Coordinates of all heavy atoms in Angstrom, one line a residue:
M1 N 0.8 -1.2 0.0 CA 0.0 0.0 0.0 C 0.9 1.2 0.0 O 1.8 1.4 0.8 CB -0.9 0.0 1.2 CG -1.8 1.1 1.3 SD -3.0 0.9 2.6 CE -2.6 2.3 3.7
T2 N 0.6 2.2 -0.9 CA 1.4 3.4 -1.0 C 0.7 4.5 -0.3 O -0.5 4.7 -0.4 CB 1.5 3.8 -2.5 OG1 2.1 2.8 -3.2 CG2 2.4 5.0 -2.6
T3 N 1.4 5.2 0.6 CA 0.9 6.3 1.3 C 0.7 7.5 0.3 O 1.5 7.6 -0.6 CB 1.7 6.7 2.5 OG1 3.0 7.1 2.0 CG2 1.8 5.6 3.5
P4 N -0.3 8.3 0.6 CA -0.5 9.5 -0.3 C 0.7 10.4 -0.5 O 0.9 10.9 -1.6 CB -1.7 10.2 0.3 CG -2.3 9.2 1.2 CD -1.3 8.3 1.6
I5 N 1.5 10.5 0.5 CA 2.6 11.4 0.4 C 3.7 10.9 -0.5 O 4.5 11.6 -1.1 CB 3.2 11.8 1.8 CG1 4.0 13.1 1.7 CG2 4.0 10.6 2.4 CD1 4.3 13.7 3.0
L6 N 3.7 9.6 -0.7 CA 4.7 9.0 -1.5 C 4.2 8.7 -3.0 O 5.0 8.3 -3.8 CB 5.2 7.6 -0.9 CG 5.9 7.8 0.4 CD1 6.3 6.4 1.0 CD2 7.1 8.6 0.4
S7 N 2.9 9.0 -3.2 CA 2.4 8.8 -4.5 C 2.8 10.0 -5.4 O 3.2 11.0 -4.9 CB 0.9 8.6 -4.5 OG 0.3 9.8 -4.0
K8 N 2.6 9.8 -6.7 CA 3.0 10.8 -7.6 C 1.9 11.9 -7.7 O 0.7 11.6 -7.8 CB 3.2 10.2 -9.0 CG 3.7 11.1 -10.1 CD 3.9 10.2 -11.3 CE 3.9 11.0 -12.5 NZ 4.0 10.2 -13.7
L9 N 2.3 13.1 -7.7 CA 1.3 14.2 -7.8 C 1.1 14.4 -9.3 O 2.0 14.7 -10.1 CB 1.9 15.5 -7.3 CG 1.0 16.8 -7.3 CD1 -0.3 16.5 -6.5 CD2 1.7 18.0 -6.8
N10 N -0.2 14.1 -9.8 CA -0.5 14.1 -11.2 C -0.9 15.5 -11.8 O -0.7 15.7 -12.9 CB -1.6 13.1 -11.5 CG -1.1 11.7 -11.2 OD1 0.0 11.3 -11.5 ND2 -2.0 10.9 -10.5
N11 N -1.5 16.3 -10.9 CA -2.0 17.6 -11.4 C -1.7 18.7 -10.4 O -1.5 18.4 -9.2 CB -3.5 17.6 -11.6 CG -4.0 16.5 -12.4 OD1 -3.4 15.5 -12.6 ND2 -5.3 16.7 -12.8
L12 N -1.7 19.9 -10.8 CA -1.7 21.0 -9.9 C -3.1 21.7 -9.9 O -3.8 21.6 -10.9 CB -0.7 22.1 -10.3 CG 0.8 21.6 -10.2 CD1 1.7 22.7 -10.8 CD2 1.1 21.4 -8.7
P13 N -3.5 22.3 -8.8 CA -4.9 22.9 -8.8 C -4.9 24.0 -9.9 O -3.9 24.6 -10.2 CB -5.0 23.6 -7.4 CG -4.0 22.8 -6.6 CD -2.9 22.4 -7.5
P14 N -6.1 24.2 -10.5 CA -6.2 25.2 -11.6 C -5.8 26.6 -11.2 O -5.3 27.4 -12.0 CB -7.7 25.2 -12.0 CG -8.3 24.0 -11.3 CD -7.3 23.5 -10.2
S15 N -6.0 26.9 -9.9 CA -5.7 28.3 -9.4 C -4.2 28.4 -9.0 O -3.8 29.5 -8.6 CB -6.6 28.7 -8.3 OG -6.3 27.9 -7.2
F16 N -3.4 27.3 -9.1 CA -2.1 27.3 -8.6 C -1.2 28.2 -9.5 O -1.1 27.9 -10.7 CB -1.5 25.9 -8.6 CG -0.2 25.7 -7.8 CD1 -0.2 25.6 -6.5 CD2 1.0 25.7 -8.5 CE1 1.0 25.5 -5.8 CE2 2.2 25.5 -7.8 CZ 2.2 25.4 -6.4
P17 N -0.6 29.3 -9.0 CA 0.1 30.2 -9.8 C 1.4 29.5 -10.4 O 2.0 28.7 -9.7 CB 0.4 31.4 -8.9 CG 0.2 30.9 -7.5 CD -0.7 29.7 -7.6
Q18 N 1.7 29.8 -11.6 CA 2.9 29.2 -12.2 C 4.2 29.8 -11.6 O 5.3 29.2 -11.6 CB 2.9 29.5 -13.7 CG 1.8 28.7 -14.4 CD 1.9 27.2 -14.3 OE1 3.0 26.7 -14.5 NE2 0.9 26.6 -13.9
E19 N 4.1 31.1 -11.1 CA 5.3 31.7 -10.5 C 4.9 32.2 -9.1 O 3.7 32.5 -8.9 CB 5.7 32.9 -11.4 CG 6.3 32.5 -12.7 CD 6.7 33.7 -13.5 OE1 6.8 34.8 -13.0 OE2 7.0 33.5 -14.7
R20 N 5.8 32.3 -8.2 CA 5.7 32.8 -6.9 C 4.6 32.0 -6.1 O 3.9 32.5 -5.2 CB 5.3 34.2 -6.9 CG 6.4 35.1 -7.4 CD 6.1 36.5 -7.4 NE 5.3 36.8 -8.6 CZ 4.6 37.9 -8.8 NH1 4.6 38.8 -7.9 NH2 3.8 38.0 -9.9
A21 N 4.6 30.7 -6.3 CA 3.6 29.8 -5.6 C 4.2 29.3 -4.3 O 3.5 29.1 -3.3 CB 3.2 28.6 -6.5
I22 N 5.5 29.2 -4.3 CA 6.2 28.7 -3.1 C 7.2 29.7 -2.6 O 7.9 30.3 -3.5 CB 6.9 27.4 -3.4 CG1 6.0 26.3 -4.0 CG2 7.7 26.8 -2.2 CD1 4.9 25.9 -3.0
K23 N 7.3 30.0 -1.3 CA 8.4 30.8 -0.8 C 9.3 30.0 0.1 O 8.9 29.0 0.6 CB 7.8 32.0 -0.1 CG 6.9 31.7 1.1 CD 6.3 32.9 1.8 CE 5.5 32.5 3.0 NZ 4.9 33.6 3.7
I24 N 10.5 30.5 0.3 CA 11.5 29.9 1.1 C 11.8 30.8 2.3 O 12.1 32.0 2.0 CB 12.7 29.5 0.4 CG1 12.4 28.6 -0.8 CG2 13.7 28.8 1.3 CD1 13.6 28.3 -1.7
E25 N 11.6 30.3 3.5 CA 12.0 31.1 4.7 C 13.1 30.4 5.4 O 13.2 29.2 5.4 CB 10.8 31.2 5.6 CG 9.6 31.9 5.0 CD 8.4 32.0 6.0 OE1 8.5 31.4 7.1 OE2 7.4 32.5 5.6
L26 N 14.0 31.2 6.1 CA 15.0 30.6 6.9 C 14.5 30.6 8.3 O 14.1 31.6 8.9 CB 16.3 31.4 6.9 CG 17.2 31.1 5.6 CD1 18.4 32.0 5.7 CD2 17.6 29.7 5.5
I27 N 14.4 29.4 8.9 CA 13.9 29.3 10.3 C 15.1 28.6 11.0 O 15.5 27.5 10.7 CB 12.7 28.4 10.4 CG1 11.6 28.9 9.5 CG2 12.2 28.2 11.9 CD1 10.9 30.1 9.9
E28 N 15.7 29.4 11.9 CA 16.9 28.9 12.7 C 18.0 28.4 11.7 O 18.6 27.4 11.9 CB 16.5 27.8 13.7 CG 15.6 28.3 14.7 CD 15.1 27.2 15.7 OE1 15.6 26.1 15.7 OE2 14.2 27.5 16.5
G29 N 18.1 29.1 10.6 CA 19.2 28.8 9.6 C 18.8 27.6 8.7 O 19.7 27.2 7.9
I30 N 17.6 27.1 8.8 CA 17.2 26.0 7.9 C 16.2 26.5 6.9 O 15.2 27.1 7.3 CB 16.6 24.8 8.8 CG1 17.7 24.3 9.8 CG2 16.1 23.7 7.9 CD1 17.1 23.3 10.8
P31 N 16.4 26.2 5.6 CA 15.4 26.7 4.6 C 14.1 25.9 4.7 O 14.1 24.6 4.8 CB 16.1 26.4 3.3 CG 17.1 25.4 3.6 CD 17.5 25.6 5.0
I32 N 13.0 26.6 4.8 CA 11.7 26.0 4.9 C 10.8 26.4 3.8 O 10.7 27.6 3.5 CB 11.0 26.3 6.3 CG1 11.8 25.9 7.5 CG2 9.6 25.7 6.3 CD1 12.0 24.4 7.6
F33 N 10.2 25.5 3.1 CA 9.3 25.8 1.9 C 7.9 26.0 2.4 O 7.4 25.1 3.1 CB 9.4 24.7 0.9 CG 10.8 24.6 0.2 CD1 11.8 23.9 0.8 CD2 11.0 25.2 -1.0 CE1 13.0 23.8 0.2 CE2 12.2 25.1 -1.6 CZ 13.2 24.4 -1.0
R34 N 7.3 27.1 2.0 CA 5.9 27.3 2.4 C 5.1 27.8 1.1 O 5.7 28.4 0.2 CB 5.8 28.4 3.4 CG 6.5 28.0 4.7 CD 6.2 29.1 5.8 NE 7.0 28.9 7.0 CZ 6.8 28.1 8.0 NH1 5.7 27.3 7.9 NH2 7.6 28.0 9.0
A35 N 3.8 27.6 1.2 CA 3.0 28.2 0.1 C 3.0 29.7 0.2 O 3.1 30.3 1.3 CB 1.5 27.7 0.3
S36 N 3.0 30.4 -0.9 CA 3.0 31.8 -0.9 C 1.7 32.4 -0.4 O 0.7 31.6 -0.2 CB 3.2 32.3 -2.4 OG 2.0 32.0 -3.1
Q37 N 1.6 33.7 -0.2 CA 0.4 34.3 0.4 C -0.7 34.1 -0.6 O -1.9 33.9 -0.2 CB 0.7 35.8 0.7 CG -0.5 36.4 1.4 CD -0.8 35.7 2.7 OE1 0.1 35.5 3.5 NE2 -2.0 35.4 3.0
I38 N -0.5 34.2 -1.9 CA -1.5 34.0 -2.9 C -2.2 32.6 -2.8 O -3.4 32.5 -2.8 CB -0.9 34.1 -4.3 CG1 -0.4 35.5 -4.6 CG2 -1.9 33.7 -5.4 CD1 0.5 35.7 -5.8
V39 N -1.3 31.6 -2.6 CA -1.8 30.2 -2.5 C -2.6 30.1 -1.1 O -3.6 29.5 -1.1 CB -0.7 29.2 -2.6 CG1 -1.2 27.8 -2.3 CG2 -0.1 29.2 -4.0
Q40 N -2.0 30.6 -0.1 CA -2.6 30.5 1.2 C -4.0 31.2 1.2 O -5.0 30.6 1.8 CB -1.7 31.1 2.3 CG -0.5 30.3 2.6 CD 0.4 31.0 3.7 OE1 -0.1 31.7 4.5 NE2 1.7 30.7 3.6
T41 N -4.1 32.3 0.6 CA -5.4 33.0 0.5 C -6.4 32.2 -0.3 O -7.6 32.1 0.2 CB -5.2 34.4 -0.2 OG1 -4.3 35.2 0.5 CG2 -6.5 35.1 -0.4
R42 N -6.0 31.5 -1.3 CA -6.9 30.7 -2.1 C -7.4 29.5 -1.2 O -8.6 29.1 -1.2 CB -6.3 30.1 -3.4 CG -7.2 29.2 -4.2 CD -8.4 29.9 -4.6 NE -9.3 29.0 -5.4 CZ -10.6 29.1 -5.5 NH1 -11.2 30.1 -5.0 NH2 -11.3 28.2 -6.2
I43 N -6.5 28.9 -0.5 CA -6.8 27.7 0.4 C -7.8 28.2 1.5 O -8.8 27.5 1.7 CB -5.6 27.1 1.0 CG1 -4.7 26.4 -0.1 CG2 -5.9 26.1 2.1 CD1 -3.3 26.0 0.3
E44 N -7.5 29.4 2.1 CA -8.4 29.9 3.1 C -9.8 30.2 2.5 O -10.8 29.9 3.2 CB -7.9 31.2 3.7 CG -6.7 30.9 4.6 CD -6.0 32.2 5.0 OE1 -6.5 33.3 4.8 OE2 -4.9 32.1 5.5
T45 N -9.9 30.7 1.3 CA -11.2 30.9 0.6 C -11.9 29.6 0.5 O -13.1 29.5 0.8 CB -10.9 31.6 -0.7 OG1 -10.3 32.8 -0.5 CG2 -12.3 31.8 -1.5
L46 N -11.3 28.6 0.0 CA -11.9 27.3 -0.2 C -12.4 26.7 1.1 O -13.5 26.1 1.2 CB -11.0 26.3 -0.9 CG -10.7 26.6 -2.4 CD1 -9.6 25.8 -2.9 CD2 -12.0 26.5 -3.2
L47 N -11.5 26.8 2.2 CA -11.9 26.3 3.5 C -13.1 27.0 4.1 O -14.0 26.4 4.7 CB -10.7 26.3 4.4 CG -9.6 25.4 4.1 CD1 -8.4 25.7 5.0 CD2 -10.0 23.9 4.3
N48 N -13.1 28.3 3.9 CA -14.3 29.1 4.4 C -15.6 28.7 3.6 O -16.6 28.6 4.2 CB -14.0 30.6 4.2 CG -13.1 31.1 5.3 OD1 -13.0 30.5 6.4 ND2 -12.3 32.2 5.0
Q49 N -15.4 28.6 2.3 CA -16.6 28.1 1.5 C -17.1 26.7 2.0 O -18.3 26.5 2.0 CB -16.2 28.1 0.0 CG -16.2 29.4 -0.7 CD -15.8 29.2 -2.1 OE1 -14.9 29.8 -2.6 NE2 -16.6 28.5 -2.9
E50 N -16.1 25.9 2.3 CA -16.4 24.5 2.7 C -17.2 24.6 4.1 O -18.2 23.8 4.3 CB -15.2 23.7 2.9 CG -15.4 22.3 3.2 CD -14.1 21.5 3.4 OE1 -13.2 22.0 4.0 OE2 -14.0 20.4 2.8
K51 N -16.8 25.5 4.9 CA -17.5 25.7 6.2 C -19.0 26.2 6.0 O -19.9 25.8 6.7 CB -16.8 26.6 7.2 CG -15.5 26.0 7.7 CD -14.8 27.0 8.6 CE -13.5 26.4 9.1 NZ -12.7 27.4 9.8
N52 N -19.1 27.2 5.2 CA -20.3 27.9 5.0 C -21.3 27.3 4.0 O -22.5 27.5 4.1 CB -20.0 29.4 4.6 CG -19.3 30.1 5.6 OD1 -19.4 29.9 6.8 ND2 -18.4 31.0 5.2
A53 N -20.8 26.5 3.1 CA -21.6 25.9 2.1 C -20.8 24.7 1.5 O -19.6 24.7 1.7 CB -22.0 26.9 1.0
Q54 N -21.5 23.9 0.8 CA -20.8 22.7 0.2 C -20.0 23.2 -1.0 O -20.5 24.0 -1.8 CB -21.8 21.6 -0.1 CG -21.1 20.3 -0.4 CD -22.1 19.2 -0.5 OE1 -23.3 19.4 -0.6 NE2 -21.6 18.0 -0.4
L55 N -18.8 22.7 -1.1 CA -18.0 23.0 -2.3 C -18.5 22.3 -3.5 O -19.0 21.2 -3.4 CB -16.5 22.6 -2.1 CG -15.8 23.4 -1.0 CD1 -14.4 22.8 -0.8 CD2 -15.6 24.8 -1.3
T56 N -18.2 22.9 -4.7 CA -18.5 22.2 -5.9 C -17.5 21.0 -6.0 O -16.5 21.0 -5.3 CB -18.4 23.1 -7.2 OG1 -17.0 23.4 -7.3 CG2 -19.3 24.3 -7.1
Q57 N -17.8 20.1 -6.9 CA -16.8 19.0 -7.1 C -15.5 19.5 -7.5 O -14.4 19.0 -7.1 CB -17.4 18.0 -8.2 CG -16.5 16.8 -8.3 CD -17.1 15.8 -9.3 OE1 -18.2 16.0 -9.9 NE2 -16.4 14.7 -9.5
L58 N -15.4 20.5 -8.4 CA -14.1 21.1 -8.9 C -13.4 21.8 -7.7 O -12.2 21.6 -7.6 CB -14.4 22.0 -10.0 CG -14.7 21.4 -11.4 CD1 -15.0 22.5 -12.4 CD2 -13.6 20.5 -11.9
E59 N -14.1 22.5 -6.9 CA -13.5 23.1 -5.8 C -13.0 22.1 -4.8 O -11.9 22.3 -4.2 CB -14.5 24.1 -5.1 CG -14.8 25.3 -5.9 CD -16.0 26.1 -5.4 OE1 -16.9 25.5 -4.7 OE2 -16.0 27.3 -5.6
Q60 N -13.7 21.0 -4.6 CA -13.2 20.0 -3.6 C -12.0 19.3 -4.2 O -11.0 19.1 -3.5 CB -14.3 19.0 -3.4 CG -13.9 17.9 -2.3 CD -13.6 18.6 -1.0 OE1 -14.5 19.3 -0.4 NE2 -12.5 18.3 -0.4
Q61 N -11.9 19.1 -5.5 CA -10.8 18.5 -6.1 C -9.6 19.5 -6.0 O -8.4 19.1 -5.7 CB -11.0 18.2 -7.6 CG -11.9 17.0 -7.8 CD -12.3 16.9 -9.3 OE1 -12.1 17.8 -10.1 NE2 -12.9 15.7 -9.6
E62 N -9.8 20.8 -6.2 CA -8.8 21.8 -6.0 C -8.2 21.8 -4.6 O -7.0 21.8 -4.4 CB -9.3 23.1 -6.4 CG -8.3 24.2 -6.3 CD -8.9 25.6 -6.6 OE1 -10.1 25.7 -7.0 OE2 -8.2 26.6 -6.5
L63 N -9.1 21.7 -3.6 CA -8.7 21.7 -2.2 C -7.9 20.4 -1.9 O -6.9 20.5 -1.2 CB -9.9 21.8 -1.3 CG -9.6 22.0 0.2 CD1 -8.8 23.2 0.5 CD2 -11.0 22.1 0.9
D64 N -8.3 19.3 -2.5 CA -7.6 18.1 -2.3 C -6.2 18.1 -2.9 O -5.2 17.6 -2.3 CB -8.4 16.9 -2.9 CG -9.7 16.6 -2.2 OD1 -9.9 17.0 -1.0 OD2 -10.5 15.9 -2.8
L65 N -6.1 18.8 -4.0 CA -4.7 18.9 -4.6 C -3.8 19.8 -3.8 O -2.6 19.5 -3.7 CB -4.9 19.5 -6.1 CG -5.4 18.5 -7.1 CD1 -5.7 19.2 -8.4 CD2 -4.5 17.3 -7.3
Y66 N -4.4 20.9 -3.2 CA -3.6 21.7 -2.3 C -3.2 20.9 -1.1 O -2.0 21.1 -0.6 CB -4.4 23.0 -1.9 CG -4.4 24.1 -2.9 CD1 -5.5 24.6 -3.5 CD2 -3.2 24.6 -3.4 CE1 -5.5 25.6 -4.4 CE2 -3.1 25.6 -4.3 CZ -4.3 26.1 -4.8 OH -4.2 27.1 -5.7
E67 N -4.0 20.0 -0.6 CA -3.6 19.2 0.5 C -2.4 18.3 0.1 O -1.5 18.1 0.9 CB -4.8 18.4 1.0 CG -4.5 17.6 2.2 CD -5.7 16.8 2.7 OE1 -6.9 17.2 2.5 OE2 -5.5 15.8 3.3
E68 N -2.5 17.7 -1.1 CA -1.4 16.9 -1.6 C -0.1 17.7 -1.6 O 1.0 17.2 -1.2 CB -1.6 16.3 -2.9 CG -2.5 15.1 -2.9 CD -2.6 14.5 -4.3 OE1 -1.6 14.0 -4.8 OE2 -3.7 14.5 -4.9
I69 N -0.2 18.9 -2.2 CA 1.0 19.8 -2.2 C 1.6 20.1 -0.8 O 2.8 20.0 -0.6 CB 0.7 21.1 -3.0 CG1 0.4 20.8 -4.5 CG2 1.8 22.1 -2.9 CD1 -0.2 21.9 -5.2
D70 N 0.7 20.3 0.1 CA 1.1 20.6 1.5 C 1.8 19.4 2.1 O 2.8 19.5 2.8 CB -0.1 20.9 2.3 CG 0.2 21.3 3.7 OD1 1.0 22.2 3.9 OD2 -0.2 20.6 4.7
D71 N 1.3 18.2 1.7 CA 2.0 16.9 2.2 C 3.4 16.8 1.6 O 4.3 16.5 2.4 CB 1.2 15.7 1.8 CG -0.1 15.5 2.5 OD1 -0.3 16.1 3.6 OD2 -1.0 14.7 2.1
Y72 N 3.6 17.2 0.3 CA 4.9 17.1 -0.2 C 5.8 18.2 0.4 O 7.0 17.9 0.7 CB 4.8 17.3 -1.8 CG 4.4 16.1 -2.5 CD1 3.2 16.0 -3.1 CD2 5.3 15.1 -2.7 CE1 2.8 14.9 -3.8 CE2 4.9 13.9 -3.3 CZ 3.7 13.8 -3.9 OH 3.3 12.7 -4.6
L73 N 5.3 19.4 0.6 CA 6.1 20.4 1.2 C 6.5 20.0 2.6 O 7.7 20.2 3.0 CB 5.4 21.8 1.3 CG 5.2 22.5 -0.1 CD1 4.4 23.7 0.1 CD2 6.6 22.8 -0.7
S74 N 5.6 19.4 3.4 CA 5.9 18.9 4.7 C 7.0 17.8 4.7 O 8.0 17.9 5.5 CB 4.7 18.3 5.4 OG 3.7 19.3 5.6
L75 N 6.9 16.9 3.7 CA 8.0 15.9 3.6 C 9.3 16.5 3.2 O 10.3 16.2 3.9 CB 7.6 14.9 2.5 CG 8.6 13.8 2.1 CD1 8.9 12.9 3.3 CD2 8.2 13.0 0.9
V76 N 9.3 17.4 2.3 CA 10.6 18.1 1.9 C 11.2 18.9 3.1 O 12.4 18.8 3.4 CB 10.4 19.1 0.7 CG1 11.6 20.0 0.5 CG2 10.1 18.3 -0.5
N77 N 10.3 19.6 3.8 CA 10.8 20.3 5.0 C 11.3 19.4 6.1 O 12.3 19.7 6.7 CB 9.7 21.3 5.5 CG 9.4 22.4 4.6 OD1 10.3 22.9 3.9 ND2 8.2 22.9 4.6
R78 N 10.6 18.3 6.4 CA 11.1 17.4 7.4 C 12.5 16.8 7.0 O 13.4 16.7 7.8 CB 10.1 16.3 7.6 CG 9.0 16.6 8.5 CD 8.2 15.4 9.0 NE 7.8 14.5 7.9 CZ 6.7 14.6 7.1 NH1 5.9 15.6 7.4 NH2 6.4 13.8 6.2
T79 N 12.6 16.5 5.7 CA 13.8 15.9 5.2 C 15.0 16.9 5.3 O 16.1 16.5 5.8 CB 13.7 15.4 3.7 OG1 12.6 14.5 3.7 CG2 14.9 14.8 3.2
I80 N 14.7 18.1 4.9 CA 15.8 19.2 5.0 C 16.1 19.4 6.5 O 17.3 19.5 6.8 CB 15.3 20.5 4.4 CG1 15.2 20.3 2.8 CG2 16.2 21.6 4.7 CD1 14.6 21.4 2.1
R81 N 15.1 19.5 7.3 CA 15.4 19.8 8.8 C 16.2 18.6 9.4 O 17.2 18.8 10.1 CB 14.1 19.9 9.5 CG 14.2 20.4 10.9 CD 12.9 20.8 11.6 NE 11.8 20.1 11.2 CZ 10.8 20.6 10.4 NH1 10.8 21.9 10.1 NH2 9.7 19.9 10.1
N82 N 15.9 17.4 9.0 CA 16.6 16.2 9.5 C 18.0 16.2 9.0 O 19.0 15.9 9.8 CB 15.9 14.9 9.2 CG 14.6 14.7 10.0 OD1 14.5 15.3 11.0 ND2 13.8 13.9 9.5
L83 N 18.2 16.5 7.8 CA 19.6 16.6 7.2 C 20.4 17.7 7.9 O 21.6 17.5 8.1 CB 19.6 16.7 5.7 CG 19.1 15.5 4.9 CD1 18.9 15.8 3.5 CD2 20.1 14.3 5.1
C84 N 19.8 18.8 8.1 CA 20.5 19.9 8.7 C 20.8 19.7 10.2 O 21.9 20.2 10.7 CB 19.7 21.2 8.5 SG 19.7 21.8 6.8
T85 N 19.9 19.0 10.9 CA 20.2 18.9 12.3 C 20.9 17.6 12.7 O 21.4 17.4 13.8 CB 18.8 18.9 13.1 OG1 17.9 17.9 12.6 CG2 18.2 20.3 13.0
N86 N 20.8 16.6 11.8 CA 21.5 15.3 12.0 C 22.3 14.9 10.8 O 22.0 14.0 10.0 CB 20.5 14.2 12.2 CG 19.6 14.5 13.4 OD1 20.1 14.8 14.5 ND2 18.3 14.4 13.2
P87 N 23.4 15.7 10.5 CA 24.2 15.4 9.3 C 24.7 13.9 9.3 O 25.0 13.4 10.4 CB 25.4 16.4 9.4 CG 25.4 16.9 10.8 CD 24.0 16.7 11.4
I88 N 24.8 13.4 8.2 CA 25.4 12.0 8.0 C 26.8 12.0 8.3 O 27.6 12.9 7.7 CB 25.0 11.5 6.6 CG1 23.5 11.5 6.4 CG2 25.6 10.1 6.4 CD1 23.1 11.2 5.0
L89 N 27.3 11.2 9.1 CA 28.7 11.1 9.4 C 29.5 10.4 8.3 O 29.0 9.4 7.8 CB 29.0 10.3 10.7 CG 28.3 10.9 12.0 CD1 28.5 10.0 13.2 CD2 29.0 12.3 12.3
E90 N 30.6 10.9 7.9 CA 31.4 10.3 6.9 C 32.2 9.1 7.5 O 32.7 9.3 8.6 CB 32.4 11.3 6.2 CG 31.6 12.3 5.4 CD 32.6 13.2 4.7 OE1 33.8 12.7 4.4 OE2 32.3 14.3 4.4
V91 N 32.3 8.0 6.8 CA 33.1 6.9 7.3 C 34.4 6.9 6.6 O 34.5 7.0 5.4 CB 32.3 5.6 7.0 CG1 33.1 4.4 7.4 CG2 30.9 5.6 7.6
S92 N 35.5 6.8 7.3 CA 36.8 6.9 6.7 C 37.3 5.5 6.4 O 37.1 4.5 7.0 CB 37.9 7.4 7.7 OG 37.4 8.4 8.5

């Protein structure tokens, strides 16, 4: 069984901007990838619509794709953080 985070991302949400979709922040000297403000605003809009009314099928698919992207960013960030905080020791 393949976990969703290890599966291949097949599409990007239709509203996903081609540029400036991801920003990089330094947190304690470690680069962290985050969704840009544009993407965060779209996700918040979809989540608010979901709370106040039912999303259309396309909107739900879009929100699901954003969730997949968030899973990938979390995986990348954990991997980078682990590599930065626990460097691999070289064997002589």
Side-chain angles (χ1 to χ4, degrees):
M1 182 171 117
T2 304
T3 60
I5 200 162
L6 298 177
S7 66
K8 182 175 159 186
L9 183 63
N10 295 316
N11 309 16
L12 292 173
S15 65
F16 194 80
Q18 295 296 312
E19 296 181 9
R20 296 181 279 169
I22 305 295
K23 63 182 178 179
I24 302 172
E25 297 177 1
L26 281 178
I27 308 290
E28 298 178 7
I30 299 172
I32 301 295
F33 293 84
R34 297 190 191 275
S36 68
Q37 189 59 49
I38 294 167
V39 172
Q40 288 179 28
T41 299
R42 179 60 182 157
I43 293 168
E44 288 172 12
T45 299
L46 290 169
L47 289 172
N48 285 333
Q49 281 180 238
E50 185 179 46
K51 286 179 187 174
N52 297 325
Q54 195 168 15
L55 295 175
T56 67
Q57 184 177 0
L58 286 176
E59 289 169 331
Q60 186 61 55
Q61 289 173 346
E62 182 181 357
L63 188 57
D64 292 344
L65 288 172
Y66 278 123
E67 186 177 332
E68 279 188 65
I69 292 168
D70 184 59
D71 289 343
Y72 281 107
L73 288 177
S74 294
L75 175 65
V76 168
N77 288 332
R78 280 192 311 273
T79 302
I80 291 171
R81 189 173 28 251
N82 287 340
L83 288 172
C84 288
T85 58
N86 301 311
I88 299 171
L89 298 174
E90 290 186 28
V91 178
S92 324

